[in-house]
């Protein structure tokens, strides 16, 4: 979020796209969307928070890659 805010971009949107398993052993599937950059990544975890964190890590990689490409142009 800080990376996006420093570049005056909107914050990512997190959406739970699926929950599998029984109440005591669920797996959450979350999508992280950064619309201004056309980035959409997914994460999964045993909690919604963990799934969001995993998706956020993937999004950071995509954002940094996108910024690096723009700098090299």
């Amino acid at each position: 979020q800080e990376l996006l805010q420093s570049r005056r971009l909107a914050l990512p949107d997190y959406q739970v796209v699926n929950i599998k398993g029984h109440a005591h052993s669920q797996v959450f599937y979350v999508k992280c969307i950064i619309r201004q950059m056309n980035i959409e990544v997914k994460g999964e975890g045993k909690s919604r928070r963990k799934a969001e964190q995993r998706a956020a890590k993937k999004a950071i990689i995509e954002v940094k890659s996108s910024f690096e490409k723009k700098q090299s142009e």
Side-chain angles (χ1 to χ4, degrees), residues 8-73:
R8 300 193 186 276
L9 296 170
L11 296 178
D13 179 32
Y14 294 95
Q15 300 173 358
V16 176
V17 293
N18 201 356
I19 302 171
K20 291 186 178 180
H22 299 289
H24 63 282
S25 62
Q26 292 180 326
V27 177
F28 291 80
Y29 297 86
V30 171
K31 184 168 38 174
C32 175
I33 303 166
I34 305 171
R35 295 187 199 296
Q36 288 176 298
M37 299 184 71
N38 293 319
I39 292 174
E40 185 174 309
V41 293
K42 295 179 182 174
E44 64 180 75
K46 292 186 178 186
S47 70
R48 190 183 110 234
R49 183 174 179 199
K50 191 56 138 175
E52 287 177 351
Q53 289 173 340
R54 288 184 174 153
K57 284 181 183 180
K58 291 178 183 178
I60 288 170
I61 292 168
E62 293 288 323
V63 168
K64 287 182 177 179
S65 175
S66 176
F67 289 153
E68 288 171 5
K69 285 179 187 175
K70 287 181 181 179
Q71 287 179 351
S72 66
E73 291 177 350

